[in-house]
Amino acid sequence: MKFEEIAQTAKEEWDALQASAKPSIVVGTATCGRAAGAMEVMEALRNELKEREIEANIMETGCFGLCDAEPLITIKGPGGPSVWYRNVTPEMAGKLVEEHIVKGSPVAEHALGAAGDGQVDGLTAMSDLPMLKFQVRRILFNCGVVDPSNINHYIATGGYQALNKVVSGMSPEDIIDEITRSGLRGLGGAGFPVGRKWDSCRRVPSDVRYVVCNADEGDPGAFQDRSVLEGDPYSVVEGMTIAGYAIGAQKGYIYVRAEYPLAVERLENATAQAKEKGLMGKNILGSGFDFDLEIFQGAGAFVCGESTALVLSIEGKRGMPKPLPRPRTTEVGLWDMPTLLNNVKSYSIVPWILTKGADQFASLGTERCKGTAVFSLTGKMANCGLIEVPMGTTLRQIIYDIGGGIPKGKAFKAVQTGGPSGGCLPAELLDTQVDFDKLTAAGAIMGSGGMVVMDEDTCMVDVARYFLDFTQKESCGECSLCRLGTLQMLQTLEAIVAGEGDPDDIDMLLELGEAIKTGSICGLGQSAPNPALTTIRYFRHEYEAHIHEKKCPARVCKDLISYVISADKCKACMICLRECPVDAIRGAKKEVHVIDQDKCIRCGVCMSVCPERFGAVECIPGRLTEADNA
Amino acid sequence: MEDHLAEILSTHTGRRSELIPILQEAQEKFGYLSDDVIAEVAEFTHVPESTVFGVASFYTQFRFVPQGRNLISVCRGTACHVRGAPMILDEVSRQLSIEDGGTTPDLEYTLETVACIGCCALAPCLTVNGKVEAKLNPKKVKDLLAKEKANEV
Ligand SMILES: Cc1cc2nc3c(=O)[nH]c(=O)nc-3n(C[C@H](O)[C@H](O)[C@H](O)COP(=O)(O)O)c2cc1C
């Protein structure tokens, strides 16, 4: 079939859906939505519709990025506006169907906003929501909008035009030229120019080449790649197919974490549908170009995100980075063939660039970093979510304008980007622009898109310990400085948080950290000390408080805090006394409760059970003993 | 067991690159990788048993002992960590009297930690047999496990 016919069919289906006389309900069923209960909500909505004998179009969609609003659904009556409802529960289904669909009056109290024809009084336009207003959605264009299991939706919204353009007239050089001119840099973290990588892979003489997508997403605070795979899998598949055409490869692999079953399912479906339409497989769109994709599920090793380790893992081996000196993966990769490895987002933006042009892509961004960046914004944030902003947006704009600042009136302390390889930046650096070079200069890294915000209640020594614990476990053991050095750093940090820190520890951490960075062959070891080094650089006083005063100022480290019950606020209700797992609380009815500091294990149960209106249990820095109670 | 493994192997050709997918399918079927399974996979893929074990033990996904009937996975992602995941893990561990990675003697529960289950806005969270329990604190964990245990009998 010709592409024009494929596109026509897709458009007809999409237009019919938009113009349908039936009401429509769209449910966000990405992993985050499901975790919040989206599948139960969808079931409840179906039942309510069935009971009333209403026919409606129910569609699933990917992550729209408004995590705090999940489960998030959109209801549109024929001709009416689309209304987004937030935090929908199965119990709300009846009311939403009755009011919005049957009576045609949207339920303002549960609405997040509205869009489309006929604005509703009292409802914000979706495009005015702070969380969305400052975003530019290119990579996330389709996420939360189309049905990610229906290729026709993708095609109707502009998908596969780029592949069609490419196979029906562009030379591989033209494509690589366009990508190079766009200034696109790899979005997996290192920011290597994508066009240059494609070009160098193409130039290696070989009959066989491979295209590999890195969807390992090992950063334990990030979900942007998963969201793209779940919400817009076709863009990645199309981008990889174009890459195959450009470098002369006929086979591609998507290395995706086994922990992402929904992403795997959506990708399997996407590749099957693309094949059915002649957009993948033999003789794509009659051009004579063959390309096939296979999905490989990563078995859980952070280091396999590194290119040479990833390649070994696909080959069925232990994923240990190849020793130096070694040729580049673009020269000697999978089964020793030239192999192109890019991140999920790097591929998914390719169709956009080839459709809209390199110039338009480069119209956004900073001098050396063009386009947009996607972040998973989490931690102590009013609005957590998946966001996309132009390169060069400041951390302050992201955290305050989009994220809505820190909840509960707490003070901002730090923002962590780049996960275990990244660093923590303090309030003084909030005006740093996000791009590869500027974040690196500040001591953090861009990374693949994890951004975790920390407030005054986060202990920076504990954060460093947390990341070192992660990298130490994930170190493959190949380089002794990484294997033993991260362990020693971890043990030192563990001693500090336990109140057993030594005044020399800080200098030792700095020295050892630098040694690990220079003595490791892969990015894991080269960056593992970063969380410790940046927290020492910007939050040294917290280390000193732990070491010298034996206090955790943020009240996190169990050995350096105490729980106390305020005699003024305690209503002697016996709740904490009964719930304490070690019977460390004394008192009786009408007798103020007191915590036995020697027995207390600082589990925090008393604080979590004390009724909020009393708020009598307090956590304070420093370790009290029974002598202090006297 | 033999039949099931044969069924899995029949969909593969025995190439080295199939090793990890085969192990994944075998674990999916049996819950863990026994010595017998490893031996048979080794024969099928023409690599030494030690190599198969070497590969399997490199990846955190693979287990070599049976797992409890209920799997509790506490998220130790960064967002969960800063919102109190360590307290959650401690509480589960105390309630079930097992450490991270352990299984109760009655084979009822296995406790594990996972890198990130990807619902950071709902932090801190854990999953019980895949179902997410969100925005936890020690008290909620205690109630949750009490409910689980009551359902068990
Ligand atoms: C320890 C380690 C883990 C990595 N994890 C990932 C990952 O999960 N996803 C990713 O795209 N890149 C990861 N990378 C970076 C890749 O090695 C590589 O630079 C990237 O996939 C190239 O794609 P890009 O140029 O499109 O960014 C990791 C690197 C290291 C050293």
Side-chain angles (χ1 to χ4, degrees), chain B residues 68-120:
Chain B
R69 278 176 282 277
N70 301 290
L71 179 64
I72 300 188
S73 313
V74 177
C75 181
R76 61 179 173 108
T78 315
C80 280
H81 182 81
V82 303
R83 290 204 200 176
M87 281 172 137
I88 304 304
L89 179 61
D90 282 354
E91 188 62 27
V92 179
S93 174
R94 188 162 47 241
Q95 293 296 333
L96 298 177
S97 305
I98 43 175
E99 297 290 313
D100 174 13
T103 298
T104 51
D106 60 0
L107 282 186
E108 206 56 53
Y109 294 96
T110 292
L111 169 60
E112 64 168 22
T113 54
V114 289
C116 183
I117 50 181
C119 41
C120 304

Side-chain angles (χ1 to χ4, degrees), chain A residues 186-189 197 214 216-218 302 305-307 341-343 346 523-524:
Chain A
L187 295 166
K197 197 188 270 183
N214 192 340
D216 197 35
E217 193 157 68
F302 176 63
E306 195 270 347
S307 47
L341 177 75
N342 277 122
N343 173 260
S346 307
L524 192 152

Side-chain angles (χ1 to χ4, degrees), chain A residues 300 317-318 379 462 466 558, chain B residues 54 59-60 76 78 81 83 90:
Chain A
K317 301 174 184 153
R318 291 163 69 92
D462 175 65
Y466 164 79
K558 274 172 105 174
Chain B
Y59 297 96
T60 47
R76 61 179 173 108
T78 315
H81 182 81
R83 290 204 200 176
D90 282 354

Side-chain angles (χ1 to χ4, degrees), chain A residues 148-149 154 228-238 263 266-267 270:
Chain A
S149 55
Y154 177 69
V228 171
L229 294 173
E230 288 179 359
D232 195 18
Y234 304 100
S235 66
V236 181
V237 171
E238 185 186 357
R266 293 259 157 92
L267 280 170

Side-chain angles (χ1 to χ4, degrees), chain B residues 30-41:
Chain B
F30 308 115
Y32 75 108
L33 301 176
S34 64
D35 291 350
D36 293 348
V37 166
I38 287 181
E40 234 179 283
V41 171

Side-chain angles (χ1 to χ4, degrees), chain A residues 408-425:
Chain A
K408 299 182 191 157
K410 299 277 183 181
F412 169 89
K413 183 183 278 184
V415 53
Q416 211 282 349
T417 60
S421 315
C424 296
L425 302 180

Side-chain angles (χ1 to χ4, degrees), chain A residues 505-585:
Chain A
D505 282 349
I506 299 179
D507 286 336
M508 197 277 286
L509 285 172
L510 291 174
E511 196 183 329
L512 184 56
E514 290 304 331
I516 296 170
K517 285 174 83 155
T518 42
S520 304
I521 60 170
C522 92
L524 192 152
Q526 287 161 6
S527 62
N530 283 350
L533 298 180
T534 52
T535 48
I536 294 177
R537 176 158 154 201
Y538 297 118
F539 302 94
R540 196 180 180 113
H541 53 278
E542 289 196 29
Y543 282 81
E544 288 166 352
H546 283 73
I547 295 171
H548 302 300
E549 298 159 41
K550 308 290 174 204
K551 275 185 180 165
C552 175
R555 299 164 302 174
V556 171
C557 302
K558 274 172 105 174
D559 293 311
L560 300 175
I561 57 168
S562 304
Y563 285 89
V564 290
I565 298 174
S566 153
D568 298 344
K569 294 182 185 163
C570 178
K571 296 281 182 284
C573 69
M574 306 281 289
I575 295 179
C576 64
L577 194 148
R578 270 195 302 263
E579 299 279 350
C580 176
V582 291
D583 296 321
I585 305 181

